[in-house]
Amino acid sequence: MSKLQSYIFIGRSGCGKGTQSELLTKVLREKDPSIQILHIESGNELRKFAKEPNYTAAITKKTLESGGLMPEFMPVYLWGKLFTERFTGKETLIFDGTPRKLMEAKILDSLFPFYDLDKPWIIYLDVDHEESTKRLKSRGRNDDSDEAIKKRLAWYESDVKPSVEFYRTNPGVQFLDIDGERTIEEVHQDIVKRVGLV
C-alpha cells in the first residue's frame, strides 16, 4: 500500500496558500471521493483558540490583532493537540501557513517519520513584497490593518525565509518552487501537475 501524502503550503502572507490548499483539496476529493483529509491551518486554529476564556488565549488574541508573530510553542502545541485528537493514520495532510519559523519547520519535520508518512510536498508560492501587500489589502480581513500587514511581511524575511531555505535543501522533502504571481488557475494547474495529480 502506498504511503499517505502530505502537502505543506508556504510563502509570504497573501501569496494564496489558503486558496491553493482549498483547490488541491477539491482535486483530491474528485479523484477519490472516499479520501480523508486533515487540513491544518495555523491562523484559523490560533484565531479559534484566541476566543477561549483563558489567560493564554487573551494574550494570543492581542498578539494576532497587533499583527504579531506567535512564539513557536503555540503553533506546535496546536498541531500536537490536533494530531493526538484527530489523526487516525488514514488522512492525507494539508498544512496551510504552517510552519512559519525555522524551529517550527524542524519540529514538523520530525512528524513524518514518526507516523511513517511519505516525504511531504513543500509547495512554496513565490510572490514578491508588492504583490503580497496588494493582495492583503484587498482581502479586507479585520486583522489586515496597514501596520499588521507591514509586520507580517517583515516576518517573511526574518522567519519564513529561513524555513523555505531549510526545506529547499532538505532531502527528506519534495520541494516545489511555484511562481505565485500568475492567475489562481494557472498556479493551481502547475501544482496539480507537479505533484502528479494529472
Side-chain angles (χ1 to χ4, degrees):
M1 195 180 98
S2 65
K3 291 185 179 184
L4 288 167
Q5 293 293 312
S6 308
Y7 305 90
I8 298 174
F9 286 85
I10 192 167
R12 286 182 206 272
S13 292
C15 69
K17 297 182 290 285
T19 301
Q20 292 301 333
S21 62
E22 281 170 23
L23 291 170
L24 179 67
T25 300
K26 197 172 163 219
V27 168
L28 289 166
R29 290 211 161 108
E30 281 165 2
K31 283 187 84 68
D32 177 6
S34 69
I35 197 170
Q36 295 176 61
I37 294 174
L38 181 55
H39 188 164
I40 295 156
E41 205 279 275
S42 284
N44 277 350
E45 294 303 324
L46 283 165
R47 283 188 286 275
K48 225 185 289 174
F49 174 76
K51 292 175 182 166
E52 290 186 18
N54 64 57
Y55 180 59
T56 307
I59 300 173
T60 299
K61 184 174 190 281
K62 198 174 163 188
T63 306
L64 293 174
E65 284 174 350
S66 69
L69 194 55
M70 294 300 298
E72 289 95 327
F73 84 90
M74 275 305 294
V76 171
Y77 158 72
L78 290 170
W79 314 328
K81 196 165 178 288
L82 265 172
F83 272 90
T84 52
E85 290 174 359
R86 291 172 50 196
F87 187 56
T88 67
K90 295 174 185 169
E91 295 85 0
T92 290
L93 303 174
I94 295 182
F95 295 86
D96 160 10
T98 290
R100 285 205 168 107
K101 294 183 175 184
L102 181 57
M103 193 190 290
E104 291 171 31
K106 289 180 174 178
I107 292 168
L108 187 61
D109 204 39
S110 68
L111 178 144
F112 305 101
F114 178 76
Y115 285 117
D116 194 28
L117 299 170
D118 207 352
K119 286 182 181 184
W121 290 99
I122 309 297
I123 301 166
Y124 169 52
L125 297 173
D126 189 6
V127 169
D128 74 16
H129 186 97
E130 289 71 24
E131 181 64 20
S132 291
T133 306
K134 194 171 82 184
R135 291 181 185 185
L136 289 169
K137 283 184 173 177
S138 69
R139 73 183 182 182
R141 217 168 63 188
N142 62 2
D143 58 347
D144 282 338
S145 66
D146 286 354
E147 191 53 38
I149 287 172
K150 203 171 158 187
K151 274 189 192 171
R152 242 182 260 137
L153 291 175
W155 299 340
Y156 174 79
E157 298 301 330
S158 61
D159 294 292
V160 181
K161 207 172 179 180
S163 303
V164 173
E165 293 316 311
F166 165 74
Y167 281 131
R168 200 188 287 280
T169 56
N170 186 339
V173 305
Q174 304 173 86
F175 186 89
L176 298 181
D177 203 327
I178 303 283
D179 174 5
E181 296 200 11
R182 296 166 295 171
T183 67
I184 289 170
E185 189 52 33
E186 284 170 331
V187 173
H188 171 61
Q189 288 306 328
D190 194 9
I191 292 169
V192 293
K193 187 177 168 191
R194 290 173 69 185
V195 299
L197 289 170
V198 289

